[in-house]
Amino acid sequence: MAPRIILIGPMGSGKSTIGKSLANKLSLEFRDTDSVIEQRENKSVSQIFIEDGEDAFRAIEREILQQELQASDTVLALGGGAPISTEAQSALAATSSHVVYLDISLANVAPRIGFNRDRPLLLNNPRGQWQTLMEARRPIYEAIADTVVDVNKRSQSEIVAQILEVLGMKSIDVRAERNYSVLVDTPYLQALAPHFKERERIAVIFSESMKASIPQIDAQDSEVFYFGIPDSEKGKSSETLLRVWDWLGSAGFTRSDLIVAIGGGAVTDFAGFAAASWLRGLDWIAVPTTVAGMVDAAVGGKTGINSDFGKNLIGAFHSPIEVIIDPQWLSTLSDRDFAAGLAEVVKCGFIRDPQILALIADKSIANIRESRELTVDLIHRAISVKADVVSADFKESFEREILNYGHTFGHAVELESKYSLRHGECVAIGMVYVAHLAHSLGLMNQELVDQHVKVLSQLGLPVRYLEGDWLNLLATMRVDKKSRGKQIRFVVISEIAKTERVESVTDDQLLAAYEKVSQ
């Protein structure tokens, strides 16, 4: 056993602040050797130095360090002098923990620590003393550390993100009714484990076709229940929801229990709504297994089921407590499903991040799938776009509507096709439809329309819809979530990353755009 992360560095480098943030993101306990010492001795570190002397303090510190190194699932911050003894260095060298040195300059630490009596080694000639200490300690910190992080003039979120990335995890913060993190490129079982503490019951909801892929989860003392729902959009029904409510009730689920969604976008939408509606809100975690689930459904807190009148018309805003993106699941996808998810990635390129389009340019599905680095980068960028938009407008009052680019017509196609087309395939058709509409309104040039067709076609995505019934499609668009009264509203772009809203479109203009995608 050993702490997951150990933070070392001088006073004022932010070990406690950074450590608490890391622990929160990783659902681990945060421990600080100075705090443990103060609790045990019932007096401050400064008092121990003054009353008992530095040698006495260091002896206590070495004892506490050995004790804390035996704990698991923690983030541990050490006092500035804790790693200096040879005993401490040997113990740190033997641990499996990842040791991070937070390096800071005198100029940047001075405003933080104030050189006051709370820093017992700095009572006399504080600035000169600090510099002398640092010159002596820096080589020791560097020799012990697995990673050195420069914290000078950097935000807490930047520092935490760098540490997580070094650990093989990319973390994206989402601000909503409750803030949460999206862990990108992270083994899901490892990331789930800390969440199982103090949970009496855990419900795992998944697609029935994935039953053989769902492992028996070791949740320590928690009881784990498994519930499969019909695949794809078929599972997002009121009938299935009633069955899950009955199941949660018979199993005795309470507000302190947890739901884990493992599956594509449909499972994520459904499980999130089950969590939102049972007892007015259970904690839930999303483990999306498809590209579409990773970049769209799992991020943003929009949960729901379908009705006969349209997709996701019954739902609630209910954010997960964490989203875990594990790329290992992507190997299970067909090229068709992988491409369908990329439609949402392309959408993020058009509305906010042009670099996505540059990375995809002239690449086929095979080109992208053979590069794990490119795949993870595209997913990370798309999630970052959505997280940024959602954080600014959680309940879709205005700004968040840009994420529905291509969805107004796309959702209509999805319903009319009876979900025989993938969601991403319908969004691809919807983006081409709205591009033609924007061009007819004088908002988009033909070159950008052609770019829509080209980038989507090279990924194997459909850009036409030949079997539609226009009147049915029009009727469905009229009940789109962005519609107001009888007026259909569209998100369009006039150029890449420049979005606009169109609210006054005639039926003739809508029909003309449809004719472009139905030829």
Side-chain angles (χ1 to χ4, degrees):
M1 295 191 299
R4 186 87 62 84
I5 303 169
I6 298 176
L7 299 177
I8 63 173
M11 60 194 78
S13 59
K15 297 186 296 292
S16 293
T17 303
I18 299 302
K20 290 175 183 176
S21 182
L22 281 167
N24 182 59
K25 287 184 178 297
L26 297 170
S27 297
L28 302 176
E29 181 183 2
F30 173 71
R31 305 279 289 177
D32 182 307
T33 54
D34 281 352
S35 296
V36 175
I37 291 170
E38 290 180 337
Q39 290 172 6
R40 195 186 83 166
E41 300 299 312
N42 199 29
K43 53 185 174 181
S44 69
V45 169
S46 294
Q47 285 180 295
I48 299 172
F49 263 81
I50 293 169
E51 297 173 8
D52 305 319
E54 182 177 357
D55 288 345
F57 173 79
R58 296 302 177 197
I60 297 170
E61 187 175 54
R62 287 192 294 272
E63 180 185 343
I64 294 298
L65 176 60
Q66 291 291 345
Q67 169 189 307
E68 293 299 317
L69 288 178
Q70 301 308 308
S72 60
D73 291 333
T74 64
V75 174
L76 178 64
L78 305 188
I84 304 307
S85 70
T86 55
E87 296 97 320
Q89 291 168 37
S90 297
L92 290 170
T95 184
S96 60
S97 307
H98 194 97
V99 181
V100 179
Y101 164 32
L102 303 181
D103 188 15
I104 192 169
S105 68
L106 175 59
N108 287 310
V109 81
R112 298 187 182 188
I113 66 175
F115 298 110
N116 56 34
R117 290 183 60 85
D118 290 332
R119 312 290 180 173
L121 292 182
L122 303 182
L123 291 176
N124 299 309
N125 187 19
R127 290 179 180 271
Q129 184 74 5
W130 190 91
Q131 191 160 358
T132 300
L133 282 172
M134 278 308 303
E135 288 173 353
R137 291 177 175 179
R138 177 172 279 109
I140 297 173
Y141 291 149
E142 291 174 341
I144 295 170
D146 298 300
T147 299
V148 178
V149 176
D150 183 349
V151 301
N152 290 291
K153 297 182 179 180
R154 300 181 68 197
S155 69
Q156 176 183 318
S157 60
E158 290 174 330
I159 296 165
V160 170
Q162 181 181 342
I163 295 171
L164 290 175
E165 189 161 355
V166 167
L167 295 173
M169 296 179 285
K170 296 180 180 180
S171 176
I172 301 169
D173 292 330
V174 183
R175 299 182 301 278
E177 89 284 18
R178 57 179 175 189
N179 299 340
Y180 59 97
S181 295
V182 182
L183 301 180
V184 182
D185 201 7
T186 303
Y188 77 100
L189 288 175
Q190 172 185 316
L192 279 174
H195 291 286
F196 296 154
K197 291 182 178 180
E198 301 178 0
R199 305 280 187 176
E200 188 171 341
R201 302 168 192 84
I202 297 162
V204 179
I205 299 178
F206 58 92
S207 295
E208 288 175 345
S209 64
M210 294 181 60
K211 186 173 183 179
S213 303
I214 303 297
Q216 291 297 306
I217 293 175
D218 179 7
Q220 301 170 356
D221 297 327
S222 303
E223 188 174 6
V224 184
F225 300 84
Y226 298 86
F227 194 93
I229 67 172
D231 289 354
S232 193
E233 298 297 326
K234 294 178 181 178
K236 290 171 58 176
S237 68
S238 56
E239 292 80 10
T240 305
L241 186 62
L242 284 170
R243 287 196 292 118
V244 169
W245 283 338
D246 287 344
W247 173 62
L248 292 171
S250 63
F253 270 72
T254 70
R255 283 188 176 178
S256 62
D257 296 324
L258 177 70
I259 289 178
V260 178
I262 302 180
V267 169
T268 305
D269 287 344
F270 177 89
F273 187 54
S277 54
W278 185 252
L279 299 179
R280 297 188 179 92
L282 266 61
D283 285 348
W284 71 291
I285 295 173
V287 183
T289 60
T290 65
V291 178
M294 292 173 181
V295 303
D296 187 33
V299 182
K302 287 169 69 171
T303 69
I305 61 174
N306 303 329
S307 83
D308 292 339
F309 298 97
K311 183 175 178 179
N312 294 336
L313 296 183
I314 305 167
F317 290 95
H318 185 56
S319 296
I321 60 172
E322 191 164 82
V323 178
I324 305 167
I325 308 297
D326 188 343
Q328 72 161 315
W329 291 106
L330 300 181
S331 63
T332 67
L333 301 182
S334 66
D335 282 349
R336 182 185 179 186
D337 286 327
F338 193 97
L342 285 181
E344 293 284 359
V345 177
V346 170
K347 175 202 74 179
C348 290
F350 278 123
I351 65 172
R352 184 61 69 89
D353 184 359
Q355 185 61 24
I356 287 175
L357 301 177
L359 290 168
I360 287 179
D362 301 321
K363 289 187 174 63
S364 66
I365 282 294
N367 297 146
I368 295 172
R369 297 197 74 170
E370 68 189 10
S371 172
R372 188 181 191 280
E373 181 180 0
L374 175 58
T375 298
V376 171
D377 190 17
L378 289 171
I379 289 171
H380 184 268
R381 285 180 173 277
I383 293 173
S384 297
V385 168
K386 186 161 188 180
D388 185 51
V389 173
V390 166
S391 295
D393 178 16
F394 174 55
K395 290 199 172 180
E396 200 171 45
S397 59
F398 187 74
E399 175 66 20
R400 185 168 175 166
E401 287 186 351
I402 70 172
L403 296 171
N404 286 318
Y405 184 63
H407 284 56
T408 303
F409 185 74
H411 278 162
V413 170
E414 199 168 0
L415 180 64
E416 203 211 21
S417 72
K418 296 182 174 55
Y419 303 106
S420 60
L421 293 175
R422 306 292 196 267
H423 171 69
E425 293 171 334
C426 297
V427 169
I429 296 168
M431 283 190 283
V432 176
Y433 173 86
V434 81
H436 285 303
L437 179 63
H439 179 259
S440 71
L441 298 173
L443 298 174
M444 181 186 294
N445 61 37
Q446 186 61 48
E447 182 180 357
L448 187 49
V449 177
D450 294 341
Q451 185 176 358
H452 279 70
V453 174
K454 179 181 178 182
V455 70
L456 294 166
S457 296
Q458 76 187 32
L459 296 175
L461 289 165
V463 293
R464 295 189 299 166
Y465 184 54
L466 307 181
E467 293 80 25
D469 182 305
W470 170 242
L471 293 179
N472 285 340
L473 293 166
L474 182 62
T476 301
M477 285 196 288
R478 292 198 188 283
V479 295
D480 178 79
K481 293 185 293 294
K482 295 184 300 303
S483 296
R484 300 294 183 268
K486 294 182 178 181
Q487 188 63 57
I488 304 174
R489 301 162 72 238
F490 291 89
V491 174
V492 302
I493 61 172
S494 54
E495 57 187 68
I496 294 172
K498 184 177 180 181
T499 56
E500 299 185 26
R501 285 163 183 79
V502 172
E503 300 188 3
S504 299
V505 186
T506 68
D507 286 357
D508 287 343
Q509 289 169 324
L510 294 174
L511 176 58
Y514 170 68
E515 289 174 345
K516 293 284 187 180
V517 296
S518 62
Q519 296 174 353

